[in-house]
Amino acid sequence: MKLTAFNSLNRTQAAEVVRPALDIPRWVEAVVDARPYAHHDALLSTARTAAKPFGAEEIERALSHHPRIGERAEGDHAEAGLSRAEQSAVDPTDTDVQQRLREGNLAYEERFGQVFLIRAAGRSPEEILDQLSTRMDNDPGTEQAVVADQLRQIALLRLEGLVTP
């Protein structure tokens, strides 16, 4: 959707456009309520500012919408389509990568009690696996900060594609 069209939507409609980028109500409201935007960079700047900081409950809510890395999101809703596109570099038929991701995801979930989240867009399967391994050494507080940063990156990339100049 073009920025001019986004600016002209009512609040509910605009929230529906933004929500697939990141389903955190406070963030969605901040992005929607700052309209109209004079330019695309202003939209992204507002979204970036609203994404700092994310609280633990907000992160938990956002993670509930993300499939495990290597697993394809089901459904035809916008968020599932975005997730599938972001993970397109992870070949579901590459049994070695899939096995390593399965094992890594399970170990991560056992250690941190949540799904492993990474901005997969633009990353190779090896980069994702390297990050998964590296982040296992984080303490819970450090990992929470890393996850929040990954959520910000994902949200901004998604928003950039959902609302275009």
Side-chain angles (χ1 to χ4, degrees), residues 28 56 70 79 81 88 110 129 134 157 165:
V28 170
E79 194 168 2
S88 64
E110 186 174 303
L129 285 162
T134 299
L157 284 172

Side-chain angles (χ1 to χ4, degrees), residues 23-114:
D23 190 11
I24 294 178
R26 176 190 58 79
W27 182 82
V28 170
E29 291 168 7
V31 170
V32 168
D33 291 346
R35 294 173 307 140
Y37 293 102
H39 48 79
H40 198 247
D41 288 341
L43 166 67
L44 297 178
S45 177
T46 297
R48 188 175 299 107
T49 299
K52 291 183 181 178
F54 286 136
E57 288 180 11
E58 291 175 323
I59 291 170
E60 184 178 334
R61 177 187 175 100
L63 289 178
S64 72
H65 297 278
H66 286 270
R68 287 184 177 107
I69 206 76
E71 294 181 1
R72 296 291 188 233
E74 298 294 324
D76 60 356
H77 55 286
E79 194 168 2
L82 291 167
S83 179
R84 286 190 297 270
E86 292 159 358
Q87 290 197 42
S88 64
V90 179
D91 182 355
T93 65
D94 185 330
T95 55
D96 177 57
V97 166
Q98 289 299 318
Q99 179 64 30
R100 290 166 56 205
L101 284 172
R102 248 187 318 280
E103 291 170 0
N105 281 328
L106 290 173
Y108 181 93
E109 289 170 18
E110 186 174 303
R111 170 139 169 69
F112 294 108
Q114 63 190 27

Side-chain angles (χ1 to χ4, degrees), residues 134-151:
T134 299
R135 286 172 50 187
M136 288 295 290
D137 293 332
N138 288 344
D139 63 81
T142 299
E143 184 58 19
Q144 190 80 343
V146 171
V147 170
D149 181 60
Q150 295 299 301
L151 275 174

